C-alpha cells in the first residue's frame, strides 16, 4: 500500500502542478508550462519545479494508501472466511 501511494504521487504530482498553474491563470496550456519551465530553468531544474511540495504529497499519500490497502485486505480476508 505504501509503495502504491508513493507510485501514484510520483506519477501524478507533475500533472497536478501543471493543472494548478493552468487553473490559477499562470499558464494557458500544459505545453506552455513545460516550455516555460525548460526555457527558464533548464530540463532538470524544470522537472524539480514540477515536484515542489513532494514532501507533503508523499508524506500524506503513501501512509493513507498503506492504511487503505491494509484495511481492504483484512476485510476481504474476513469476508472470504465467513462465506
Amino acid at each position: 500500500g505504501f509503495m502504491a501511494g508513493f507510485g501514484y504521487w510520483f506519477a501524478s504530482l507533475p500533472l497536478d502542478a501543471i493543472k494548478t498553474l493552468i487553473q490559477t491563470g499562470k499558464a494557458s496550456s500544459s505545453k506552455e508550462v513545460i516550455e516555460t519551465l525548460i526555457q527558464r530553468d533548464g530540463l532538470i531544474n524544470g522537472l524539480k519545479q514540477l515536484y515542489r511540495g513532494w514532501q507533503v504529497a508523499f508524506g500524506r499519500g503513501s501512509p493513507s494508501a498503506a492504511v487503505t490497502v491494509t484495511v481492504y485486505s483484512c476485510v476481504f480476508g474476513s469476508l472470504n472466511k465467513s462465506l
Side-chain angles (χ1 to χ4, degrees), residues 1-76:
F2 183 86
M3 291 307 294
F6 182 85
Y8 170 78
W9 280 108
F10 184 78
S12 67
L13 192 60
L15 301 174
D16 187 56
I18 291 169
K19 173 197 65 96
T20 300
L21 290 171
I22 293 170
Q23 286 180 335
T24 58
K26 294 180 181 176
S28 60
S29 70
S30 58
K31 181 180 176 184
E32 180 185 342
V33 172
I34 293 169
E35 287 175 349
T36 301
L37 286 174
I38 291 174
Q39 288 173 356
R40 187 186 70 200
D41 300 327
L43 181 60
I44 301 299
N45 288 329
L47 281 173
K48 287 180 182 178
Q49 289 296 318
L50 292 177
Y51 279 97
R52 279 183 37 196
W54 67 270
Q55 300 92 337
V56 173
F58 292 162
R60 178 190 62 201
S62 296
S64 66
V67 169
T68 301
V69 170
T70 302
V71 169
Y72 171 82
S73 297
C74 292
V75 170
F76 187 77

